[in-house]
Short mmCIF file of all heavy atoms in Angstrom, two decimals:
data_model
loop_
_atom_site.label_atom_id
_atom_site.label_comp_id
_atom_site.label_asym_id
_atom_site.label_seq_id
_atom_site.Cartn_x
_atom_site.Cartn_y
_atom_site.Cartn_z
N ASN A 1 0.82 -1.21 0.00
CA ASN A 1 0.00 0.00 0.00
C ASN A 1 0.86 1.27 0.00
O ASN A 1 0.35 2.36 0.15
CB ASN A 1 -0.98 0.02 1.17
CG ASN A 1 -0.29 0.10 2.52
OD1 ASN A 1 0.93 0.25 2.61
ND2 ASN A 1 -1.07 0.02 3.58
N GLY A 2 2.17 1.09 -0.16
CA GLY A 2 3.06 2.23 -0.26
C GLY A 2 3.31 2.97 1.05
O GLY A 2 3.91 4.03 1.07
N GLN A 3 2.87 2.39 2.14
CA GLN A 3 3.04 3.05 3.43
C GLN A 3 3.71 2.08 4.39
O GLN A 3 3.07 1.37 5.14
CB GLN A 3 1.69 3.52 3.96
CG GLN A 3 1.07 4.52 3.02
CD GLN A 3 -0.16 5.16 3.59
OE1 GLN A 3 -0.45 5.05 4.77
NE2 GLN A 3 -0.90 5.84 2.75
N LEU A 4 5.03 2.04 4.32
CA LEU A 4 5.84 1.10 5.07
C LEU A 4 5.52 1.14 6.57
O LEU A 4 5.62 2.17 7.21
CB LEU A 4 7.32 1.43 4.86
CG LEU A 4 8.33 0.48 5.46
CD1 LEU A 4 8.18 -0.89 4.83
CD2 LEU A 4 9.74 1.00 5.25
N GLY A 5 5.07 0.00 7.08
CA GLY A 5 4.84 -0.13 8.51
C GLY A 5 3.57 0.49 9.04
O GLY A 5 3.38 0.55 10.24
N LYS A 6 2.67 0.94 8.18
CA LYS A 6 1.44 1.57 8.67
C LYS A 6 0.51 0.49 9.21
O LYS A 6 0.28 -0.53 8.57
CB LYS A 6 0.75 2.33 7.54
CG LYS A 6 -0.46 3.08 7.99
CD LYS A 6 -0.99 3.94 6.86
CE LYS A 6 -2.19 4.74 7.31
NZ LYS A 6 -2.72 5.54 6.22
N ILE A 7 -0.02 0.71 10.39
CA ILE A 7 -0.92 -0.24 11.03
C ILE A 7 -2.29 0.41 11.16
O ILE A 7 -2.44 1.44 11.81
CB ILE A 7 -0.41 -0.64 12.43
CG1 ILE A 7 1.01 -1.19 12.33
CG2 ILE A 7 -1.35 -1.64 13.07
CD1 ILE A 7 1.68 -1.35 13.67
N LEU A 8 -3.30 -0.22 10.52
CA LEU A 8 -4.66 0.33 10.55
C LEU A 8 -5.55 -0.54 11.42
O LEU A 8 -5.32 -1.73 11.57
CB LEU A 8 -5.25 0.39 9.13
CG LEU A 8 -4.54 1.32 8.15
CD1 LEU A 8 -5.21 1.22 6.78
CD2 LEU A 8 -4.57 2.74 8.64
N ALA A 9 -6.62 0.06 11.92
CA ALA A 9 -7.59 -0.64 12.75
C ALA A 9 -8.75 -1.10 11.88
O ALA A 9 -9.72 -0.38 11.68
CB ALA A 9 -8.09 0.26 13.87
N GLY A 10 -8.65 -2.29 11.31
CA GLY A 10 -9.74 -2.92 10.58
C GLY A 10 -10.47 -2.02 9.60
O GLY A 10 -9.88 -1.19 8.93
N ALA A 11 -11.79 -2.18 9.54
CA ALA A 11 -12.62 -1.47 8.56
C ALA A 11 -12.69 0.03 8.84
O ALA A 11 -12.98 0.82 7.94
CB ALA A 11 -14.02 -2.06 8.54
N SER A 12 -12.43 0.44 10.07
CA SER A 12 -12.51 1.87 10.40
C SER A 12 -11.42 2.66 9.70
O SER A 12 -11.56 3.85 9.45
CB SER A 12 -12.41 2.09 11.91
OG SER A 12 -11.09 1.85 12.37
N GLY A 13 -10.30 2.00 9.40
CA GLY A 13 -9.19 2.67 8.74
C GLY A 13 -8.43 3.64 9.63
O GLY A 13 -7.59 4.39 9.17
N ARG A 14 -8.72 3.65 10.93
CA ARG A 14 -8.02 4.52 11.85
C ARG A 14 -6.58 4.06 12.01
O ARG A 14 -6.32 2.88 12.25
CB ARG A 14 -8.72 4.51 13.21
CG ARG A 14 -8.26 5.62 14.12
CD ARG A 14 -9.06 5.65 15.42
NE ARG A 14 -8.14 5.26 16.46
CZ ARG A 14 -8.24 4.18 17.21
NH1 ARG A 14 -9.24 3.37 17.08
NH2 ARG A 14 -7.34 3.90 18.12
N GLN A 15 -5.65 4.96 11.87
CA GLN A 15 -4.24 4.59 11.99
C GLN A 15 -3.87 4.41 13.45
O GLN A 15 -4.06 5.29 14.27
CB GLN A 15 -3.34 5.64 11.36
CG GLN A 15 -1.89 5.23 11.35
CD GLN A 15 -1.00 6.13 10.52
OE1 GLN A 15 -1.48 6.84 9.66
NE2 GLN A 15 0.28 6.11 10.80
N LEU A 16 -3.34 3.22 13.77
CA LEU A 16 -2.95 2.92 15.14
C LEU A 16 -1.49 3.23 15.40
O LEU A 16 -1.11 3.51 16.52
CB LEU A 16 -3.19 1.43 15.44
CG LEU A 16 -4.64 0.96 15.38
CD1 LEU A 16 -4.69 -0.53 15.66
CD2 LEU A 16 -5.49 1.72 16.37
N GLY A 17 -0.69 3.14 14.38
CA GLY A 17 0.73 3.38 14.58
C GLY A 17 1.50 3.19 13.30
O GLY A 17 0.94 2.96 12.25
N ARG A 18 2.79 3.29 13.42
CA ARG A 18 3.69 3.12 12.28
C ARG A 18 4.93 2.42 12.79
O ARG A 18 5.50 2.80 13.81
CB ARG A 18 4.02 4.50 11.70
CG ARG A 18 4.79 4.45 10.42
CD ARG A 18 4.96 5.87 9.89
NE ARG A 18 3.87 6.34 9.12
CZ ARG A 18 3.62 5.96 7.86
NH1 ARG A 18 4.37 5.09 7.28
NH2 ARG A 18 2.63 6.47 7.20
N LEU A 19 5.33 1.35 12.09
CA LEU A 19 6.49 0.59 12.53
C LEU A 19 7.79 1.32 12.25
O LEU A 19 8.74 1.21 13.00
CB LEU A 19 6.52 -0.77 11.83
CG LEU A 19 5.37 -1.71 12.17
CD1 LEU A 19 5.48 -2.99 11.36
CD2 LEU A 19 5.34 -2.02 13.64
N ALA A 20 7.83 2.05 11.14
CA ALA A 20 9.09 2.72 10.78
C ALA A 20 8.81 3.90 9.86
O ALA A 20 7.94 3.83 9.01
CB ALA A 20 10.03 1.74 10.10
N ASP A 21 9.49 4.96 10.08
CA ASP A 21 9.46 6.09 9.15
C ASP A 21 10.81 6.10 8.47
O ASP A 21 11.83 5.79 9.07
CB ASP A 21 9.25 7.42 9.89
CG ASP A 21 7.84 7.56 10.40
OD1 ASP A 21 6.92 7.20 9.64
OD2 ASP A 21 7.65 8.01 11.53
N GLY A 22 10.82 6.43 7.22
CA GLY A 22 12.11 6.42 6.53
C GLY A 22 11.95 6.44 5.04
O GLY A 22 11.03 7.04 4.52
N PRO A 23 12.85 5.73 4.36
CA PRO A 23 12.87 5.78 2.90
C PRO A 23 11.62 5.20 2.28
O PRO A 23 10.85 4.50 2.93
CB PRO A 23 14.10 4.96 2.53
CG PRO A 23 14.38 4.11 3.71
CD PRO A 23 13.85 4.85 4.90
N ARG A 24 11.47 5.49 1.02
CA ARG A 24 10.32 5.02 0.26
C ARG A 24 10.27 3.49 0.26
O ARG A 24 11.25 2.81 0.42
CB ARG A 24 10.48 5.53 -1.18
CG ARG A 24 9.22 5.37 -1.97
CD ARG A 24 9.23 6.27 -3.16
NE ARG A 24 8.09 6.22 -4.02
CZ ARG A 24 7.26 5.25 -4.23
NH1 ARG A 24 7.38 4.15 -3.59
NH2 ARG A 24 6.26 5.34 -5.06
N GLN A 25 9.07 2.97 0.07
CA GLN A 25 8.82 1.54 0.05
C GLN A 25 9.71 0.84 -0.99
O GLN A 25 9.81 1.29 -2.12
CB GLN A 25 7.35 1.32 -0.30
CG GLN A 25 6.85 -0.06 -0.12
CD GLN A 25 6.47 -0.36 1.30
OE1 GLN A 25 6.78 0.39 2.22
NE2 GLN A 25 5.82 -1.46 1.51
N PRO A 26 10.34 -0.26 -0.65
CA PRO A 26 11.19 -0.97 -1.61
C PRO A 26 10.35 -1.67 -2.68
O PRO A 26 9.17 -1.94 -2.48
CB PRO A 26 11.92 -1.99 -0.75
CG PRO A 26 11.06 -2.18 0.44
CD PRO A 26 10.35 -0.87 0.67
N ASP A 27 10.98 -2.00 -3.80
CA ASP A 27 10.35 -2.76 -4.87
C ASP A 27 10.62 -4.24 -4.56
O ASP A 27 11.66 -4.78 -4.89
CB ASP A 27 10.95 -2.34 -6.21
CG ASP A 27 10.28 -3.01 -7.39
OD1 ASP A 27 9.73 -4.13 -7.22
OD2 ASP A 27 10.32 -2.43 -8.49
N PHE A 28 9.66 -4.89 -3.91
CA PHE A 28 9.85 -6.26 -3.47
C PHE A 28 10.01 -7.23 -4.64
O PHE A 28 10.76 -8.18 -4.55
CB PHE A 28 8.68 -6.70 -2.58
CG PHE A 28 8.61 -5.95 -1.28
CD1 PHE A 28 7.66 -4.96 -1.08
CD2 PHE A 28 9.50 -6.23 -0.25
CE1 PHE A 28 7.59 -4.27 0.11
CE2 PHE A 28 9.43 -5.54 0.96
CZ PHE A 28 8.47 -4.55 1.13
N ALA A 29 9.28 -7.00 -5.74
CA ALA A 29 9.38 -7.87 -6.91
C ALA A 29 10.78 -7.79 -7.52
O ALA A 29 11.37 -8.82 -7.87
CB ALA A 29 8.32 -7.50 -7.94
N ALA A 30 11.31 -6.59 -7.65
CA ALA A 30 12.66 -6.43 -8.21
C ALA A 30 13.70 -7.09 -7.31
O ALA A 30 14.65 -7.72 -7.79
CB ALA A 30 12.99 -4.95 -8.41
N TYR A 31 13.54 -6.96 -6.01
CA TYR A 31 14.48 -7.58 -5.08
C TYR A 31 14.44 -9.11 -5.20
O TYR A 31 15.48 -9.77 -5.15
CB TYR A 31 14.17 -7.15 -3.64
CG TYR A 31 15.15 -7.69 -2.64
CD1 TYR A 31 16.46 -7.22 -2.59
CD2 TYR A 31 14.80 -8.72 -1.78
CE1 TYR A 31 17.38 -7.73 -1.68
CE2 TYR A 31 15.71 -9.23 -0.87
CZ TYR A 31 16.99 -8.73 -0.83
OH TYR A 31 17.90 -9.25 0.06
N THR A 32 13.24 -9.66 -5.37
CA THR A 32 13.11 -11.11 -5.54
C THR A 32 13.86 -11.57 -6.79
O THR A 32 14.54 -12.59 -6.77
CB THR A 32 11.62 -11.50 -5.63
OG1 THR A 32 10.98 -11.09 -4.42
CG2 THR A 32 11.45 -13.00 -5.79
N ASP A 33 13.74 -10.80 -7.88
CA ASP A 33 14.49 -11.11 -9.10
C ASP A 33 15.99 -11.11 -8.84
O ASP A 33 16.71 -12.00 -9.29
CB ASP A 33 14.17 -10.11 -10.22
CG ASP A 33 12.79 -10.32 -10.83
OD1 ASP A 33 12.26 -11.45 -10.75
OD2 ASP A 33 12.25 -9.36 -11.38
N LEU A 34 16.46 -10.11 -8.10
CA LEU A 34 17.89 -10.01 -7.79
C LEU A 34 18.39 -11.20 -6.97
O LEU A 34 19.56 -11.57 -7.05
CB LEU A 34 18.20 -8.71 -7.05
CG LEU A 34 18.08 -7.43 -7.87
CD1 LEU A 34 18.19 -6.21 -6.96
CD2 LEU A 34 19.14 -7.39 -8.95
N CYS A 35 17.51 -11.78 -6.18
CA CYS A 35 17.87 -12.92 -5.34
C CYS A 35 17.74 -14.25 -6.07
O CYS A 35 17.97 -15.31 -5.48
CB CYS A 35 17.00 -12.94 -4.09
SG CYS A 35 17.31 -11.56 -2.98
N GLY A 36 17.38 -14.22 -7.36
CA GLY A 36 17.29 -15.44 -8.14
C GLY A 36 15.91 -16.05 -8.25
O GLY A 36 15.74 -17.12 -8.82
N GLY A 37 14.92 -15.38 -7.69
CA GLY A 37 13.55 -15.88 -7.78
C GLY A 37 12.79 -15.19 -8.90
O GLY A 37 13.37 -14.49 -9.73
N LEU A 38 11.49 -15.38 -8.92
CA LEU A 38 10.62 -14.72 -9.88
C LEU A 38 9.81 -13.66 -9.13
O LEU A 38 9.03 -13.99 -8.23
CB LEU A 38 9.67 -15.72 -10.54
CG LEU A 38 8.57 -15.12 -11.42
CD1 LEU A 38 9.19 -14.43 -12.64
CD2 LEU A 38 7.58 -16.18 -11.84
#
């Protein structure tokens, strides 16, 4: 969802917290390719 570490409260969508603030969300698919996977 492009929001690293964001924790929401179910259907209400109320933000409960954030695990980490920092750099933009990584490209997980590209990283998987780099590691030899698909």
